[in-house]
Amino acid sequence: MRIVSVVGARPQFVKLAPIDHAIRRLGVHEHLIVHTGQHYDPQLSDVFFAELDIAKPAVHLGVGSGSHAEQTAAMLPGLEAELLAMKPDWVLVYGDTNSTIAAALAAVKVHLPVAHLEAGLRSHNRAMPEEVNRVLTDHAADRLLAPTQSAARQLEAEGLASRTTVVGDVMTDVCLQTKDAVAEATNPLAGTVDTDADYFVATIHRAENTDDENRLRSVMGALQSLPVPVVLLVHPRLSARSSQFGIAVETGSLKTHAPLGYPELVRAVMGARGVLTDSGGLQKEAMLLETPCTTIRAETEWTETVDAGWNVLAPDPEEIPAAALRSAPLGAPPQPYGDGQAAEAVIAALEAPIDGKVARAT
Ligand code: UD1
């Protein structure tokens, strides 16, 4: 089979790594990578390909930033042309970004089979661009690769059960592998805080938190007020908005640091007292690394982390300090996201026949 992965934003590079490795390990399928260029800063893109040993993209569309319409529209013609030329057996799309919906749309319109990795996640908040992207991608795709049983139940409720396979979570694959690899590594935040004492790792980048001045001001205020140092890994969107609104970030307990590569992030979270975030993946990674997480949102797609007690939602910035300073749950976390072998299950799901046809070997 020829599998073409389309990626463009930071979390997709993390999900791509175990897929690329599994295809190379099996040695019977061809894997081509198309990078849309949604994320172009080296710290958000190149570093992931290098550190996670991902093959070089066959194509880079270089679309860059823009409004949702501009960015999505800029991707479509290039994706259509490249995908038609590549003639894939599967177009594999990841998660919920503008690159995901653009690739799914470009592919289905020219009758190329689309598989959606991380299908069935829902925040049930249609104001999030990611929610729109994931719902539309699920309904466009031919094969839905769900990370959990709860995601599969959601797809069933939307009439999509016949296209669904539960494969586990590929981010768990890469997180567990990286955890072992970095256990003895130097903490990358050692030059910023005393990493032998308590510290928090924070990331804030969702439009709902960054794009409203009052909201961003109160979230930053809550982080600054904690009695423990907080290292904020500054995403370009946060940097742009805080400058635009004239919000001084590095005050009180808050220290800033550039975004980290994946192994560095894992090492930093392993040593932290807690994580404060609006990221999706980081909520899960925190639990896998046995670090309590506080999610600065009203809802989460990864409900199992909340059910297990390792994640607490703090939609109101006033709730952040108490949530952050709570004690960690007793005992090891459960494993609702699989055992770290999801990438193999993804390849097996793609090898299964589609509409009576068996995917061809290359
Ligand atoms: C995107 C995804 C989000 C994901 C996040 C991970 C969508 C709708 N959102 O959000 O789901 O969690 O990636 O980071 O696709 N910028 C740079 N350099 C870059 C990329 C972006 O400076 O390499 C700045 C630009 O000012 C840009 C802004 O960040 O306008 C936002 O970037 P964008 O790609 O639109 O979305 P993210 O906020 O990164």
Side-chain angles (χ1 to χ4, degrees):
M1 294 191 288
R2 179 175 298 138
I3 301 165
V4 174
S5 286
V6 181
V7 291
R10 180 170 59 178
Q12 296 170 324
F13 310 138
V14 179
K15 294 165 202 169
L16 171 65
I19 297 292
D20 186 50
H21 298 169
I23 296 173
R24 279 196 263 164
R25 211 165 37 242
L26 282 167
V28 290
H29 302 302
E30 187 184 1
H31 189 212
L32 298 174
I33 298 168
V34 175
H35 189 320
T36 64
Q38 175 170 352
H39 283 176
Y40 43 87
D41 282 1
Q43 286 168 319
L44 296 190
S45 177
D46 299 2
V47 69
F48 288 83
F49 282 82
E51 290 185 338
L52 295 175
D53 184 30
I54 303 169
K56 199 172 161 331
V59 173
H60 196 296
L61 297 174
V63 298
S65 300
S67 70
H68 290 289
E70 286 165 349
Q71 192 175 52
T72 311
M75 293 175 193
L76 285 168
L79 283 170
E80 183 183 65
E82 296 295 344
L83 293 174
L84 280 170
M86 288 173 167
K87 297 187 176 49
D89 295 282
W90 282 108
V91 177
L92 185 55
V93 301
Y94 299 70
D96 55 20
T97 75
N98 291 340
S99 298
T100 314
I101 182 66
L105 187 56
V108 292
K109 288 292 187 86
V110 293
H111 310 138
L112 291 170
V114 176
H116 183 205
L117 185 69
E118 228 176 60
L121 295 185
R122 297 291 181 266
S123 67
H124 303 286
N125 174 2
R126 288 288 189 123
M128 287 175 71
E130 293 83 1
E131 181 75 353
V132 177
N133 289 341
R134 53 172 95 93
V135 170
L136 297 181
T137 301
D138 280 339
H139 284 260
D142 302 281
R143 190 147 294 167
L144 301 173
L145 305 168
T148 60
Q149 296 295 343
S150 62
R153 281 194 296 276
Q154 177 64 38
L155 293 167
E156 185 179 9
E158 295 178 29
L160 300 171
S162 65
R163 302 186 218 164
T164 301
T165 309
V166 177
V167 290
D169 173 44
V170 294
M171 274 184 129
T172 297
D173 297 13
V174 68
C175 187
L176 295 180
Q177 285 160 19
T178 307
K179 176 187 180 184
D180 294 338
V182 302
E184 305 299 322
T186 307
N187 191 315
L189 304 182
T192 308
V193 282
D194 176 2
T195 50
D196 293 327
D198 276 0
Y199 67 91
F200 286 96
V201 171
T203 77
I204 298 290
H205 76 275
R206 297 263 175 209
E208 67 214 63
N209 281 327
T210 59
D211 290 9
D212 177 88
E213 180 178 346
N214 291 333
R215 170 86 188 165
L216 183 58
R217 214 174 266 287
S218 38
V219 170
M220 291 297 118
L223 302 185
Q224 288 157 351
S225 74
L226 283 167
V228 171
V230 179
V231 185
L232 179 65
L233 306 173
V234 182
H235 184 284
R237 180 192 277 277
L238 173 66
S239 172
R241 295 293 179 269
S242 53
S243 307
Q244 181 189 334
F245 301 143
I247 299 173
V249 172
E250 211 159 12
T251 328
S253 297
L254 206 45
K255 317 259 178 248
T256 59
H257 194 287
L260 293 173
Y262 191 75
E264 291 79 19
L265 177 77
V266 168
R267 180 65 192 85
V269 169
M270 284 170 80
R273 164 156 180 194
V275 165
L276 307 160
T277 192
D278 59 7
S279 152
L282 198 45
Q283 298 170 42
K284 231 178 351 173
E285 285 152 357
M287 182 167 90
L288 291 167
L289 301 170
E290 303 189 24
T291 302
C293 181
T294 300
T295 296
I296 305 170
R297 285 178 50 195
E299 69 287 302
T300 179
E301 300 78 20
W302 301 104
T303 51
E304 297 82 2
T305 59
V306 174
D307 297 343
W310 285 86
N311 189 12
V312 166
L313 301 181
D316 182 343
E318 287 185 7
E319 299 167 335
I320 294 172
L325 296 168
R326 74 191 191 273
S327 318
L330 294 174
Q335 289 194 311
Y337 301 118
D339 55 2
Q341 307 293 325
E344 279 76 8
V346 168
I347 311 307
L350 297 183
E351 285 167 345
I354 178 169
D355 294 334
K357 288 181 288 183
V358 179
R360 71 181 157 82
T362 45

